Amino acid sequence: MVRPRLTIYVCQESLQLREQQQQQQQQQQKHEDGDSNGTFFVYHAIYLEELTAVELTEKIAQLFSISPCQISQIYKQGPTGIHVLISDEMIQNFQEEACFILDTMKAETNDSYHIILK
């Protein structure tokens, strides 16, 4: 068994998760003590050996149970919320065991998706 060169952890963001986050923000504004409803997030490990954008695309597609060709682009959310296109060099500079929330957006032109690592 080949030891991965990089391990990252990802959590799939969903509409339900967004709604929970919005509700929590609203509750925190009402109650300075914050929210203690016990919400937790499940992360999945992605093991990368080649450190390429193609490999990351294949692993994310596998996680979502879709074909890699259904992923149009993968972006990383950068400073001030900008979307930076993922490249091999960017992946090679990810920190070991970095955690990301995956946000999906439907592409306008076809049945593919854009993935955003937050």
Side-chain angles (χ1 to χ4, degrees):
M1 183 170 175
V2 177
R3 187 169 186 268
R5 293 174 60 195
L6 178 69
T7 301
I8 61 172
Y9 300 101
V10 297
C11 175
Q12 183 179 353
E13 183 178 56
S14 64
L15 183 57
Q16 181 182 10
L17 176 60
R18 286 185 198 161
E19 289 172 355
Q20 287 176 353
Q21 288 173 339
Q22 288 172 351
Q23 289 173 356
Q24 287 175 355
Q25 288 172 354
Q26 290 171 354
Q27 288 176 359
Q28 285 177 351
Q29 289 172 356
K30 291 178 184 176
H31 307 287
E32 291 185 8
D33 292 337
D35 184 26
S36 60
N37 66 359
T39 302
F40 68 97
F41 307 105
V42 176
Y43 283 79
H44 300 271
I46 293 182
Y47 303 105
L48 301 174
E49 298 164 11
E50 300 170 13
L51 304 182
T52 64
V54 169
E55 181 185 28
L56 180 62
T57 301
E58 290 170 352
K59 300 280 181 153
I60 291 175
Q62 194 175 33
L63 185 66
F64 284 119
S65 299
I66 61 173
S67 167
C69 62
Q70 289 182 273
I71 297 177
S72 176
Q73 298 288 343
I74 301 178
Y75 303 96
K76 182 175 183 303
Q77 187 168 317
T80 66
I82 64 172
H83 295 160
V84 181
L85 187 62
I86 289 284
S87 65
D88 293 351
E89 186 177 6
M90 182 182 287
I91 293 170
Q92 291 162 9
N93 285 289
F94 279 174
Q95 290 183 344
E96 177 67 19
E97 296 192 332
C99 296
F100 298 102
I101 294 177
L102 297 181
D103 189 11
T104 56
M105 293 187 329
K106 190 97 164 113
E108 299 99 26
T109 55
N110 54 24
D111 289 337
S112 64
Y113 299 91
H114 298 298
I115 308 291
I116 302 165
L117 304 177
K118 295 182 176 180

